[in-house]
Structures are given as C-alpha cells and as structure tokens.
Amino acid sequence: MGLQPFRRILVTGGAGFIGSHFVRLALEHDLEVVVLDKLTYAGSLLNLEGVLDHPRLHFLQGDIADPAAVAEAIAGCQAVVNFAAETHVDRSLLEPAAFVQTNVWGTMVLLEHALRTGVQRFLHVSTDEVYGEVLTGAAREIDPLHPRNPYAASKAAAEHFVFSYWTSYRLPVLVTRGCNTYGPYQHPEKFIPLAITNLLSGQPIPLYGDGLHERDWLYVDDHCRAIWTVLLHGQPGQAYNIGASQHRPNIAVARAIVHLLGADPASIVHVSDRPGHDRRYAVEWSKLAALGWAPRTSCEEGLARTIAWYRSRPDWWTARRDEAFAAYYARNYRDRGTPVTQP
Ligand code: NAD
Ligand code: TYD
C-alpha cells in the first residue's frame, strides 16, 4: 500500500489525550479527519486547541455506542481509528459497567458500521494491559490474553470482537497494544500528571503499595507515530505491540518527577495498594520495529517536556483535578482506607 491511501478518516475519542495528539499528526497529511467524541469527563475541545478550526477537521459530539452518531461520522471514511474508551483502571474498579458499555458495546457498533460501509482499515487502539501482569520477560502478540482488572477485561473483550470481524467477515482490522503513555493533555487522574500536578499544588505523590510496580513509559508522540505506521503498513488481522523499552518502577518515576521539580523527597507518600494491582507490564515490539518504527523520546526527555507543559498550563489542569477529586479521588482513597485531603 502506498503512503497516503485514505482521503477521509474517522478518529473516535479524538478529543482525549492520545487521540488529540493523533488528530494533529493526521492533519499534517493531506486528509479529512472526522472526530467522533462523546466529551466525557476525559475529553475536551480544549485538547484540540490550535486545530479545532482547521478546514480539514470535522468534529462531531457523539457516542460510539449510538448507531445514528456512528452512521453520520463514518460516512465517506476509508479508515477508522478507535481511541474512544473509558481508560482509568481505578475508575473501572468503582464503575465497571461504563467500561463494558463504551469499550465493548461501543466497539461492536463501530465494527458493524465499518463492515456496512466497507472501510479499508479498522484500527483498534488497545493496550498492553490485555496480557495481564508479565512478571518476567516480555509479552508477544501471539501470547494469550489474561486481563486482571475491569478496564483490561473490557479492552480484551473488545479485541476478541475486533478479531472476530476479521475471521468471520474479513473486515480489515488492525490492533495496537501500547504501553503506558504520557505527555501533555493527559488527564490528571493518571499517575504521571497526577504526580506533577500534586507537587505543583503542594500535595504529596500517593504511591500505591511498595511502589515497585513496573511500567514501560512511552511518550505520546511516539505512540501516535506507531499507530500511524500500523495504519499504513500493518497487515490486516494482526496485532502490534508498542513498547518504549523505558521500564521504570513507579517509585523511580516519582523520584524523577520530585527531582525535576526540585520538590522535597518526603513528598512521596506510600498509600494502600490498588486491588489486583498488576506488578509489571512489558511487551516485545520487534513486529512493529519491522515496519520501520522506533521510539525517539527517552523517559527523562519526555518527563522534562511533560513537566514544562503542566507548569505552563494550570488553566488546563486545575478544574480537571478538582472535578476528579470531587467525583472520584475522595471515594477511591476513602474506600481503601487512605487519609483524604482536598487538593
Ligand atoms: P482518554 O481517557 O484521555 O480519552 C478517551 C476519549 O474517549 C475522551 O475524549 C472521551 O471523551 C472519549 N470517549 C469516551 N467514551 C466515549 C464514547 N462512548 N463515545 C465517544 N467518545 C468517547 O484516553 P487515552 O489515554 O487518550 O487513551 C486512548 C486509547 O488508548 C484508549 O482506547 C486506551 O485504552 C488506549 N491506551 C491508552 C494508554 C495510556 O497510557 N493512556 C496506553 C495504551 C492504550
Ligand atoms: P495509571 O496511570 O493508573 O496506569 P495503569 O494502571 O494503567 O498502568 O498508573 C500507573 C502506575 O502508577 C500503576 O502501577 C499504578 C500507580 N499509581 C500510583 O502509585 N499512584 C496513583 O495515584 C496512581 C493514579 C497510579
């Protein structure tokens, strides 16, 4: 396939964290981009600032689980990239039903319409969490899925439906399984922005359990380039892991953020652990490397860039942080016996 096969693509969840960066990347190419986003607590038109009035961007507010909204959004599109999802593990432990509704049922509605309209590519953005915890080594795409929390279970269930549309109907699907991603515009409920914005607000970093849980940290631009690579060059019916080879235990990430912000090391506070907390994620990503992709941003460089952005954008994160506290942090920590203080 040549380098620009699509004239119009549908990006669901394009007003969220990774989706909004992907929309910017897609607009650098000569494409019409339709964004379908429900604008949940996690989505915002502010995330598309600078491109919202781009002549090739068409924004539709709507739910991927709503057939009428999907029918309108997908019309004339040759490709779909599905970012739309409920994405926070801690919220999935409190309210799993919303994760089934959007992540599983919403994906089904998209698949049905993609089949009906005959798209050339259906790229489903999944996660390395579908493998469950990987205590040693690294998961390969052929490994079985063992999701262990409601978020991961909903993402794995969605993947099974996606692949069933390949085997049953030959819908040209692709799946990416990215590792933990960070960067500007990430909601302050997630670990790295939570740590940064807490320190900037004079609050401690709550570190779950012993802090030795390990994640592989991928800068958002690298994740978006990986998805673009798979969209253009991936083989239908296949999954592609996206790793950064920047594995760090959470305590090391917290210490790096404390150091970069010149904060007091005592601002890292151990709190009770997340139930069913996966100890380690790791993926083997040579299949994607064979398509010509490699990450470009080290964890240190990415953290410095991310911190600089959050320092300059309290207007973006303050209200989100307050809302998350009211809606969820307080309940999350109270239920787990951790003292709660208003941020
Ligand atoms: P996010 O929570 O920041 O954004 C999700 C977006 O989807 C929001 O704009 C929200 O409004 C929208 N949305 C939610 N429900 C919807 C619905 N029913 N219909 C339409 N839009 C809806 O998420 P993110 O971190 O940008 O993640 C994007 C995708 O990447 C998700 O599928 C996630 O599972 C996957 N992923 C994320 C990471 C990560 O570390 N953030 C890593 C790997 C994979
Ligand atoms: P998170 O950003 O929720 O991503 P995921 O659970 O999908 O990997 O969390 C990243 C890691 O940080 C995870 O091991 C849980 C941990 N964590 C904390 O220690 N404290 C926190 O306040 C949060 C939100 C996460």
Side-chain angles (χ1 to χ4, degrees):
M1 181 184 299
L3 260 189
Q4 296 232 351
F6 314 122
R7 292 185 314 283
R8 190 176 172 97
I9 66 171
L10 171 60
V11 180
T12 69
F17 163 48
I18 309 175
S20 62
H21 286 270
F22 184 82
V23 166
R24 287 196 175 80
L25 172 70
L27 285 170
E28 289 171 15
H29 300 263
D30 188 19
L31 288 172
E32 300 279 321
V33 179
V34 180
V35 170
L36 177 65
D37 197 298
K38 188 177 173 184
L39 298 182
T40 67
Y41 79 94
S44 169
L45 292 180
L46 249 192
N47 296 355
L48 291 167
E49 59 192 346
V51 291
L52 201 52
D53 56 359
H54 193 291
R56 284 187 282 105
L57 178 65
H58 312 282
F59 179 82
L60 296 172
Q61 182 171 3
D63 188 335
I64 59 165
D66 172 3
V70 171
E72 183 187 350
I74 205 170
C77 292
Q78 292 84 38
V80 176
V81 183
N82 181 27
F83 289 93
E86 291 290 340
T87 60
H88 193 33
V89 172
D90 288 312
R91 291 200 194 228
S92 80
L93 296 166
L94 297 169
E95 285 160 13
F99 287 69
V100 178
Q101 172 65 19
T102 287
N103 300 2
V104 185
W105 183 243
T107 300
M108 263 291 305
V109 173
L110 283 174
L111 286 164
E112 269 302 299
H113 282 80
L115 191 62
R116 239 178 263 169
T117 55
V119 300
Q120 295 170 32
R121 287 286 185 273
F122 184 99
L123 190 151
H124 179 73
V125 180
S126 190
T127 166
D128 64 354
E129 299 200 22
V130 294
Y131 293 114
E133 58 185 6
V134 179
L135 297 177
T136 55
R140 294 196 309 153
E141 288 86 349
I142 53 166
D143 288 351
L145 308 187
H146 284 301
R148 290 171 17 102
N149 60 60
Y151 163 67
S154 69
K155 295 295 289 186
E159 275 201 30
H160 289 309
F161 278 104
V162 170
F163 284 120
S164 78
Y165 272 63
W166 167 248
T167 41
S168 307
Y169 312 115
R170 281 294 179 259
L171 180 71
V173 305
L174 298 149
V175 168
T176 56
R177 296 180 183 145
C179 63
N180 281 65
T181 303
Y182 68 102
Y185 297 102
Q186 185 170 30
H187 195 284
E189 67 187 358
K190 305 285 172 29
F191 182 54
I192 286 181
L194 183 140
I196 297 169
T197 57
N198 270 19
L199 291 184
L200 290 174
S201 312
Q203 292 287 318
I205 299 177
L207 195 61
Y208 294 168
D210 61 9
L212 297 179
H213 303 80
E214 191 178 293
R215 300 288 185 265
D216 184 12
W217 291 100
L218 178 67
Y219 192 65
V220 63
D221 290 351
D222 287 330
H223 194 154
C224 290
R225 274 192 307 107
I227 291 171
W228 184 257
T229 302
V230 173
L231 182 66
L232 265 57
H233 304 296
Q235 200 184 322
Q238 296 289 310
Y240 293 86
N241 288 340
I242 311 173
S245 299
Q246 300 282 320
H247 298 88
R248 306 276 187 283
N250 294 337
I251 194 160
V253 175
R255 283 184 182 142
I257 294 170
V258 163
H259 174 72
L260 286 163
L261 279 169
D264 181 351
S267 32
I268 299 173
V269 174
H270 290 266
V271 300
S272 51
D273 208 353
R274 172 189 280 171
H277 191 177
D278 287 338
R279 195 68 173 162
R280 178 175 180 268
Y281 298 133
V283 291
E284 212 271 321
W285 49 273
S286 59
K287 192 171 166 185
L288 176 56
L291 299 184
W293 175 88
R296 292 178 184 158
T297 315
S298 70
C299 198
E300 287 62 35
E301 190 187 337
L303 273 184
R305 265 193 235 163
T306 305
I307 287 172
W309 188 84
Y310 282 89
R311 258 191 202 283
S312 69
R313 294 303 303 271
D315 63 301
W316 184 88
W317 55 260
T318 306
R320 281 173 180 70
R321 201 166 159 275
D322 291 350
E323 180 278 328
F325 187 89
Y328 141 83
Y329 292 156
R331 192 174 143 205
N332 186 32
Y333 292 141
R334 192 174 50 239
D335 289 355
R336 307 221 310 263
T338 306
V340 176
T341 49
Q342 180 71 41

